Amino acid sequence: MIDKKVLDRIFEILPKTSLFGGISEEEIEYFAMLMEEVRYKEGDVIFSEGEPPGDSYLILDGKVDFLMLGEKLGTVKDGKLFGVVAPLGIQKQLSTAIAKTDITLAVIPKMALLKISEERQELFGKIMFNIARDLARNLILVKKILMEHMEWCKID
């Protein structure tokens, strides 16, 4: 059972995430009840690049570093979701997530979406739409980066 203080923090953060755009307070409450609290110490590995897909996470407090091929990609802080795409695509983790500070996470178990799809189809549809929208935005960003790189590499 998740403690009230953590649940309050989840309710504060979730509505501000793109994953929960257009989702009612009651639906957020249902979703939050599926989450679990976990804590990591600074330097702990949350997941590693190449591992099978696992859970998704909401940072309640602290910072997480992401690395790919041993190179630091960036840092995210409280209020951010991560690990959402790997379980959906049944793809190995693309990066390594390491606790930059002591952190508190709300874990979204990988089986939570299956439960939602069975019990709350409308909520499931909204979440899938929001994930698809975020993926489309990410593809546009990747295209922009690739185009800039191609321009930089262009030989006259």
Side-chain angles (χ1 to χ4, degrees):
M1 185 71 181
I2 201 160
D3 117 346
K4 172 131 175 52
K5 184 178 175 186
V6 172
L7 203 52
D8 288 345
R9 181 75 174 130
I10 291 169
F11 289 144
E12 176 188 338
I13 296 172
L14 277 184
K16 298 174 185 173
T17 67
S18 61
L19 185 63
F20 287 88
I23 294 179
S24 73
E25 190 174 304
E26 184 273 327
E27 290 169 321
I28 290 171
E29 184 176 325
Y30 168 84
F31 189 91
M33 297 307 291
L34 299 173
M35 300 173 85
E36 303 164 2
E37 176 188 9
V38 67
R39 296 175 186 271
Y40 289 91
K41 295 284 186 195
E42 179 181 346
D44 286 351
V45 175
I46 300 161
F47 56 75
S48 295
E49 184 175 353
E51 286 183 350
D55 300 321
S56 302
Y57 304 90
L58 173 65
I59 305 173
L60 300 176
D61 184 49
K63 296 179 180 177
V64 176
D65 281 336
F66 290 90
L67 295 87
M68 185 181 285
L69 301 173
E71 296 291 324
K72 185 175 175 182
L73 297 173
T75 302
V76 293
K77 61 181 184 169
D78 51 311
K80 298 295 182 186
L81 282 162
F82 67 94
V84 176
V85 176
L88 289 177
I90 313 173
Q91 300 296 314
K92 293 179 179 177
Q93 297 292 354
L94 293 175
S95 63
T96 297
I98 300 174
K100 181 176 181 131
T101 63
D102 289 352
I103 58 172
T104 304
L105 302 173
V107 178
I108 305 166
K110 63 182 174 182
M111 296 308 291
L113 283 177
L114 177 61
K115 181 178 174 97
I116 293 168
S117 74
E118 293 170 347
E119 294 180 1
R120 306 283 297 265
Q121 291 83 21
E122 186 176 337
L123 173 58
F124 181 75
K126 289 176 185 179
I127 291 170
M128 290 298 105
F129 180 81
N130 289 341
I131 290 171
R133 185 185 59 225
D134 285 348
L135 287 171
R137 289 177 181 154
N138 289 342
L139 284 173
I140 291 167
L141 179 61
V142 167
K143 179 182 177 184
K144 181 180 176 190
I145 292 168
L146 286 172
M147 295 303 288
E148 288 172 2
H149 179 72
M150 289 172 61
E151 186 63 31
W152 176 80
C153 294
K154 195 174 184 181
I155 298 174
D156 293 321

